[in-house]
Amino acid sequence: MPEGDSVFQAARRLNTALAGATVTRFELRVPQAATVDLTGEIVHSVVSRGKHLLHRIGPWTLHTHLKMEGEWHVYRRGERWRAPGFRARAVIGATDPDATEWETVGFDLADIAVVATTAEDELVGYLGPDPLSDAWDPATATANLLADTRAVHVALQDQRNVAGFGNEYVNEILFVRGVLPTTPASETDAAAIVDLGARMIRANRDRIGRTFTGDSRPGRSTWVYRREGRPCRRCGTLIRGGSLGADPTRERIVFWCPACQR
């Protein structure tokens, strides 16, 4: 599931391949940006902001979002793609100063746009602090949560409060902190929640497989996420499941231990 750590890893792979390279092929296979051509421009960097990816190319920024199924692949020029071409939404070919030729392909991407780099905030300026950013501001993230009276499960996924946490992270954070998902965010120890979430996502940032328990083996990496009806790893009580959301169109699955989270 593409959450903040997955997007950070994608940006790092893309940046390793593309930073400093000259664009030799630029295709956006979506109607709103199909005519944009950045061939000949230099790739300055590829960075993540929460769940958003930003390719900074010449004076422009290519913005993409992975949503649920999106992914970026990195290939040496001529390598066979590992996904069917009809799913490709962006193709960037580039040549390094050492003449290495790369081809990066974005499959099933969403929210594709190209804007002047100076106008990036028009697309991502609404995001809250990002724990994987050098500009991470836990005090602002804490204040944002304390000002939110909605269920903490909803508030913590609102990217305006904190950028990068998705549903899996939120379920796991609240379990470890012993917080019932329906508790109003304004009534929680928001600073502790923010601190734990930041430590979790930073620990997973450099892992191949995401884990919250410290055990990355299949079926052992989560405390409660997708474990409805199974015994709690701490106390043995059966995990419960349900759904919560800001409104009926944005509900997300939620899991909790009725004994450990009160």
Side-chain angles (χ1 to χ4, degrees):
M1 181 181 299
E3 301 205 23
D5 53 351
S6 300
V7 181
F8 179 92
Q9 291 172 358
R12 183 165 54 190
R13 289 193 300 271
L14 290 162
N15 189 69
T16 298
L18 296 177
T22 300
V23 176
T24 56
R25 179 183 181 186
F26 191 85
E27 295 180 19
L28 299 180
R29 300 177 179 179
V30 291
Q32 69 271 22
T35 61
V36 177
D37 185 4
L38 301 185
T39 300
E41 300 284 3
I42 302 296
V43 180
H44 302 300
S45 63
V46 184
V47 299
S48 63
R49 283 282 305 276
K51 300 182 183 183
H52 302 252
L53 271 167
L54 304 171
H55 287 72
R56 292 166 178 158
I57 304 172
W60 305 97
T61 293
L62 166 64
H63 165 269
T64 60
H65 197 294
L66 301 183
K67 294 293 185 182
M68 293 296 290
E69 282 94 28
E71 55 187 353
W72 276 93
H73 293 186
V74 177
Y75 303 99
R76 291 294 183 105
R77 183 74 54 79
E79 282 187 289
R80 184 172 181 174
W81 294 358
R82 298 186 301 275
F86 71 83
R87 291 173 48 198
R89 298 293 176 267
V91 183
I92 301 174
T95 302
D96 273 341
D98 66 0
T100 303
E101 295 184 319
W102 299 98
E103 191 166 62
T104 61
V105 188
F107 296 96
D108 300 321
L109 303 175
D111 299 340
I112 299 173
V114 177
V115 299
T117 299
T118 54
E120 275 183 6
D121 275 358
E122 294 178 7
L123 300 176
V124 296
Y126 71 93
L127 295 173
D130 179 352
L132 297 182
S133 166
D134 292 338
W136 168 233
D137 182 356
T140 296
T142 298
N144 290 345
L145 284 181
L146 288 174
D148 198 325
T149 60
R150 296 174 298 173
V152 65
H153 185 270
V154 174
L156 197 53
Q157 287 191 78
D158 190 328
Q159 301 300 293
R160 296 170 297 182
N161 289 333
V162 190
F165 296 142
N167 200 33
E168 185 175 6
Y169 268 96
V170 171
N171 277 284
E172 296 295 296
I173 291 167
L174 296 181
F175 171 80
V176 174
R177 284 299 308 165
V179 178
L180 196 64
T182 52
T183 305
S186 56
E187 298 177 13
T188 66
D189 185 347
I193 289 173
V194 165
D195 177 68
L196 174 65
R199 286 188 285 114
M200 278 185 173
I201 201 168
R202 287 177 175 178
N204 281 319
R205 173 181 59 190
D206 299 320
R207 288 178 174 141
I208 295 175
R210 182 186 300 152
T211 180
F212 299 94
T213 61
D215 189 337
S216 59
R217 288 177 292 177
R220 295 175 178 265
S221 62
T222 63
W223 294 102
V224 293
Y225 187 71
R226 294 194 181 278
R227 297 194 67 247
E228 182 179 4
R230 300 179 187 178
C232 174
R233 299 190 193 279
R234 280 183 175 169
C235 72
T237 303
L238 296 184
I239 300 299
R240 292 184 183 175
S243 60
L244 280 173
D247 58 58
T249 67
R250 290 183 284 174
E251 288 190 344
R252 298 291 183 269
I253 50 177
V254 57
F255 306 93
W256 73 97
C257 172
C260 294
Q261 294 167 263
R262 297 176 179 240

